[in-house]
Amino acid sequence: MHCQHSCPPPRSQQMGTLTIRNVDESLETKLRQRAAEQGVSVEQQVRDVLADSVKAPRRRESILADLQKLGVRPKEPFDLKKISDEMWDESLR
């Protein structure tokens, strides 16, 4: 409920303003095209893109943890040359 005087809106309803300079022309063109496809203004399209970018889920673990899981030591020694030679021979058949 708004005050009947010249009170500012509650903090939760206030909007900030961003000015973005030096936007590449091709990016601006793509934003305009996407906005037209969505039937919204370029301003609204940019707001939507920004909102979506900060809502994206963050990785719980770093990519390093994923890579370390892949780097498990083999249980027994192996001859990498022999394996690559076999793969090469197989591809020639």
Side-chain angles (χ1 to χ4, degrees):
M1 187 163 172
H2 286 289
C3 174
Q4 293 181 2
H5 307 287
S6 60
C7 299
R11 181 75 179 145
S12 63
Q13 294 176 0
Q14 290 181 356
M15 300 288 175
T17 300
L18 295 175
T19 302
I20 303 172
R21 293 180 176 83
N22 302 320
V23 175
D24 187 78
E25 265 188 61
S26 64
L27 175 59
E28 182 183 3
T29 300
K30 289 176 186 175
L31 286 167
R32 287 186 186 284
Q33 289 170 344
R34 188 182 287 181
E37 290 168 4
Q38 300 293 323
V40 297
S41 67
V42 175
E43 246 182 41
Q44 184 60 51
Q45 182 63 36
V46 171
R47 280 192 294 266
D48 292 346
V49 168
L50 287 171
D52 288 346
S53 73
V54 296
K55 289 180 190 173
R58 300 284 181 199
R59 291 180 58 88
R60 290 187 196 143
E61 299 177 20
S62 72
I63 196 165
L64 179 61
D66 291 340
L67 293 172
Q68 287 173 333
K69 290 176 189 173
L70 295 173
V72 178
R73 289 190 181 274
K75 293 179 181 168
E76 54 188 58
F78 62 94
D79 184 350
L80 185 56
K81 170 93 170 81
K82 180 181 173 190
I83 293 171
S84 64
D85 287 347
E86 290 171 357
M87 291 171 65
W88 177 260
D89 292 342
E90 187 73 25
S91 70
L92 296 175
R93 293 184 202 164

